[in-house]
Amino acid sequence: MKLTEDQIDALGELFNIGVGKGADMLNQMLGCQIRIRVPHIETLTLNELEKQAQEFGPKEVSTVNLSFEGSLSGNAMLAFPPQSAQNLVSALTGEEPGSPELDSVTMDTLSEVGNIIINSVMGSITNFVNQRLDYSVPHYAENAIHKLVGNHIDDPEYSIILAKAHFSIENLEVDGEIILIFGVGSLEALLQAIEAFKKKLESG
Amino acid sequence: MMPVGAFIVDQNYVVRRWNSCLERWSGIPKESILGTHLLERFPKLKQPQYFLRIGEVFKGGPPLVFSSKFHQYLIPCPIGKGGNQTQQTMVTPVYDEEGQENYALFTIQDVTDATHQLANFRNIKKNLLGKEIELKTVLLEVQRINSELENFAHVVSHDLKAPLRGIKNLADWILEDLEGKITEESKMHLERLKERATHMHAMIDSILHYSRNISGELEIEFVDTKALIKEVIEELCPPSSFHLHIHPDLPKFNTQRTKLKQVFTNLIDNAFKHHDREDGKIEIGVKDTGDMFEFIVKDDGPGIEPTFQKSIFVIFQTISKKSTGDSTGIGLAITKKIVNDNRGTIELESSPGAGALFRFTWPKNIQTLPSSDH
């Protein structure tokens, strides 16, 4: 089953609502002016994702992973490419880029920042899923992205949604990329959520 | 295993569980907190960044992470010296057996020690950075002074040599003008004047030479020590009656060729110059001592009195009784400087009538200093 262009647009909008809420929470919590946008999303097979991940090379990325089960089951992974991770953490914590201190606070900082964004996106989607989901404990990991994809999103039956989000912190002129990878066991529950969302939009 | 503080609140924020670890950490016994309102006990949690996120857990949202970087603690747990624990907290949804009522489980890890270690690490790094900056400043100052010294030596030697040349020329002209009109004694005095001027000229050259050896870095090249010594001997042109014995196993290695050549030149020249016989014998050998080569230059000349042995490496100290132009007393001072600059040592073994043996060490691997920007 594939998503139509219309459905992809609606899902993209759900992602944007999610990351927007996450950014609001970060701004409230940290007093910063962070903006996160998802310009577009794409759907892929696991093979296609693995190919893209291989192209990304051996660079270590920082990721926050969350597994979920229920009517919608799968894994959500939020990946911060190295430069983006460094820019974001140094902007949020005031540590100098490239310093060893930055390394030591990266895990601590990205665990929570990732948790806020991923939870907001999950919240935005699950608002339109009728059944409650069961979640794993959020898991922070650093590795080459293709290895992380292999560890967390390993079911060939998974439908993959890849969202490349762009963040910017206005007053600090810092920006970067966050990659959201959603692997879901079945698109059915997701399609229902998309339809419910579209209906809500239509009803205003 | 690390102890974990844990408590559970229901959807109305009423505390339902409070574990013994948290009793110990917070000093709040469970009897006094169970059944009370969490937000009333800890008003900080009413702030939107806590309240809104915890609210999502009650709605069945994913677990929350509160990092120690952004929130030192959620539940104040006093530690010694008047502070509070640094905590990492996770909030997980929990349901009752029927799956109807939602609870939030707070699990708290004490990361105070790790945070202190990081703070200590930062202090150490800050101190080291301070020292590094201090050292860099000193190094720059040394480089600046060396450069000034070199310039100074250059200018002084140039300015001093010009009048000396004048004195020598004037002495020559006086000798020419007074040819046949002055006594032999006066002629000898004028010759002495010329000799002294020549000696002073040589001393000034030596100052320049010495200052060049203080500063400046030379390239590292592959050196065949045996070939280098043969080259030195050819340049020094010793009398053919001299016997030279060069150790066959002299090393071939990468080093500062020009510096090593200068050390051998000074030591071998010293042995030739101060020898009292035309059929003198000079021996050059080596011993491998691990990180260093230990070279020897030995002669069977008149030897050096113990009282002079300490002063021979001091600039302008010569034991030669002749104060002629070719012995300024700077050669061994330069030799010692070059050897010491290369982490080596030089020593002398000698006794009157039994020759002299110079022993110096030279590193197998030269570590060069950062070069000056000047």
Side-chain angles (χ1 to χ4, degrees):
Chain A
M1 198 189 301
K2 277 224 148 197
L3 296 179
T4 64
E5 216 164 290
D6 211 24
Q7 286 164 333
I8 288 177
D9 284 349
L11 192 57
E13 199 46 46
L14 273 174
F15 269 73
N16 268 317
I17 293 169
V19 295
K21 275 188 180 167
D24 286 347
M25 178 51 71
L26 286 172
N27 292 339
Q28 199 159 42
M29 190 173 100
L30 305 171
C32 58
Q33 292 172 40
I34 189 166
R35 264 174 61 88
I36 313 176
R37 286 289 302 160
V38 180
H40 71 278
I41 62 166
E42 51 185 314
T43 54
L44 307 166
T45 62
L46 186 62
N47 262 345
E48 288 166 332
L49 175 68
E50 277 172 346
K51 216 170 143 194
Q52 280 211 18
Q54 289 283 359
E55 281 165 15
F56 201 79
K59 279 183 288 182
E60 280 204 346
V61 293
S62 307
T63 60
V64 177
N65 297 279
L66 182 75
S67 297
F68 44 91
E69 275 177 18
S71 55
L72 187 67
S73 66
N75 190 289
M77 178 193 279
L78 191 74
F80 299 91
Q83 194 56 51
S84 295
Q86 206 175 73
N87 290 348
L88 184 65
V89 177
S90 99
L92 298 181
T93 61
E95 300 288 0
E96 272 177 50
S99 68
E101 291 92 325
L102 189 71
D103 286 348
S104 63
V105 299
T106 294
M107 177 178 166
D108 208 22
T109 308
L110 290 185
S111 294
E112 182 162 355
V113 171
N115 178 250
I116 289 172
I117 298 170
I118 228 167
N119 285 12
S120 302
V121 174
M122 282 309 294
S124 165
I125 294 168
T126 54
N127 268 343
F128 300 96
V129 175
N130 291 326
Q131 208 192 331
R132 194 185 65 205
L133 303 181
D134 289 320
Y135 294 99
S136 70
V137 167
H139 171 68
Y140 177 88
E142 284 175 14
N143 210 330
I145 197 161
H146 68 274
K147 288 189 181 157
L148 292 165
V149 164
N151 287 346
H152 295 281
I153 304 173
D154 53 354
D155 190 336
E157 298 300 312
Y158 268 2
S159 299
I160 316 285
I161 297 146
L162 179 70
K164 287 181 184 163
H166 182 259
F167 73 84
S168 58
I169 303 176
E170 280 166 24
N171 47 343
L172 295 173
E173 289 175 10
V174 166
D175 64 351
E177 211 180 28
I178 304 172
I179 302 163
L180 274 144
I181 305 168
F182 259 66
V184 289
S186 152
L187 278 180
E188 218 161 292
L190 195 62
L191 282 171
Q192 279 173 14
I194 292 167
E195 290 311 318
F197 172 60
K198 278 166 71 180
K199 258 188 208 153
K200 195 192 165 201
L201 284 181
E202 281 158 17
S203 65
Chain B
M1 215 154 68
M2 290 274 291
V4 173
F7 67 97
I8 294 175
V9 293
D10 65 22
Q11 294 179 80
N12 300 314
Y13 291 90
V14 174
V15 181
R16 295 299 192 90
R17 294 280 187 277
W18 191 262
N19 82 345
S20 53
C21 176
L22 206 49
E23 278 188 305
R24 207 169 54 245
W25 282 354
S26 66
I28 303 171
K30 61 178 73 150
E31 304 81 58
S32 76
I33 196 159
L34 292 179
T36 62
H37 199 278
L38 183 76
L39 305 184
E40 298 308 322
R41 292 299 294 254
F42 307 107
K44 169 181 165 176
L45 301 180
K46 286 181 184 171
Q47 292 171 23
Q49 66 258 41
Y50 302 106
F51 185 72
L52 292 177
R53 288 175 70 193
I54 296 166
E56 289 297 319
V57 169
F58 290 127
K59 287 187 211 159
L64 310 176
V65 174
F66 290 98
S67 72
S68 61
K69 184 71 204 169
F70 296 134
H71 326 268
Q72 193 203 337
Y73 56 84
L74 262 63
I75 304 298
C77 295
I79 50 172
K81 297 173 195 165
N84 278 302
Q85 264 182 2
T86 303
Q87 301 170 345
Q88 201 147 31
T89 306
M90 193 170 284
V91 186
T92 318
V94 184
Y95 310 105
D96 67 2
E97 282 168 12
E98 287 81 39
Q100 294 304 309
E101 200 176 347
N102 293 354
Y103 298 89
L105 163 67
F106 288 69
T107 45
I108 300 169
Q109 267 184 292
D110 176 11
V111 294
T112 313
D113 285 349
T115 313
H116 279 167
Q117 278 165 11
L118 179 63
N120 284 342
F121 165 76
R122 276 183 188 165
N123 281 337
I124 291 167
K125 190 191 150 206
K126 205 172 146 195
N127 286 340
L128 285 175
L129 276 178
K131 290 257 184 294
E132 195 188 339
I133 291 166
E134 216 174 281
L135 280 174
K136 274 185 183 161
T137 314
V138 170
L139 183 64
L140 282 175
E141 184 60 11
V142 168
Q143 286 171 344
R144 188 189 63 77
I145 292 169
N146 271 346
S147 169
E148 267 182 19
L149 178 65
E150 199 177 350
N151 284 340
F152 174 75
H154 199 85
V155 168
V156 165
S157 67
H158 182 266
D159 289 356
L160 290 181
K161 273 155 72 179
L164 276 177
R165 269 195 300 275
I167 291 169
K168 210 172 145 231
N169 288 339
L170 285 168
D172 276 335
W173 295 337
I174 292 169
L175 278 170
E176 272 176 40
D177 292 347
L178 299 178
E179 181 73 52
K181 292 178 194 161
I182 55 167
T183 62
E184 275 306 305
E185 195 183 1
S186 298
K187 198 176 164 185
M188 190 184 75
H189 286 157
L190 281 169
E191 287 297 344
R192 284 242 178 102
L193 177 70
K194 276 169 61 184
E195 262 176 30
R196 299 275 158 88
T198 306
H199 185 64
M200 195 165 171
H201 197 281
M203 283 173 83
I204 292 166
D205 274 343
S206 301
I207 291 174
L208 192 59
H209 200 186
Y210 187 81
S211 78
R212 276 182 188 149
N213 271 291
I214 290 172
S215 57
E217 189 188 320
L218 292 169
E219 269 180 43
I220 291 173
E221 299 168 56
F222 182 72
V223 176
D224 176 347
T225 319
K226 199 172 171 182
L228 180 111
I229 289 168
K230 282 186 174 166
E231 197 180 305
V232 167
I233 290 164
E234 269 173 32
E235 282 169 17
L236 290 173
C237 294
S240 56
S241 52
F242 252 94
H243 298 287
L244 288 154
H245 178 69
I246 303 170
H247 195 287
D249 296 328
L250 285 168
K252 294 175 180 176
F253 67 126
N254 288 314
T255 195
Q256 289 184 332
R257 187 180 195 280
T258 312
K259 297 273 183 189
L260 184 62
K261 185 177 173 186
Q262 193 168 2
V263 171
F264 275 116
T265 303
N266 290 350
L267 292 178
I268 296 169
D269 187 38
N270 200 62
F272 287 152
K273 263 197 311 210
H274 297 288
H275 212 291
D276 52 354
R277 297 192 319 276
E278 291 288 303
D279 64 343
K281 205 168 106 186
I282 294 175
E283 187 187 331
I284 295 148
V286 70
K287 199 165 96 182
D288 191 330
T289 62
D291 291 343
M292 314 285 276
F293 289 119
E294 188 184 284
F295 292 104
I296 59 149
V297 176
K298 188 182 169 192
D299 67 59
D300 61 348
I304 299 165
E305 291 278 356
T307 44
F308 291 125
Q309 289 186 13
K310 274 190 182 166
S311 58
I312 57 161
F313 293 113
V314 179
I315 191 167
F316 294 140
Q317 296 286 323
T318 174
I319 56 168
S320 171
K321 291 183 181 73
K322 306 173 271 183
S323 54
T324 53
D326 60 349
S327 184
T328 59
I330 203 159
L332 287 175
I334 290 178
T335 305
K336 187 174 190 307
K337 181 94 186 79
I338 296 172
V339 170
N340 290 162
D341 283 352
N342 280 301
R343 296 183 288 119
T345 55
I346 184 162
E347 55 189 33
L348 164 71
E349 275 176 31
S350 180
S351 55
L357 185 152
F358 285 93
R359 178 184 288 115
F360 72 95
T361 57
W362 193 264
K364 289 180 179 175
N365 293 308
I366 289 278
Q367 284 170 358
T368 51
L369 288 166
S371 63
S372 161
D373 291 331
H374 299 293

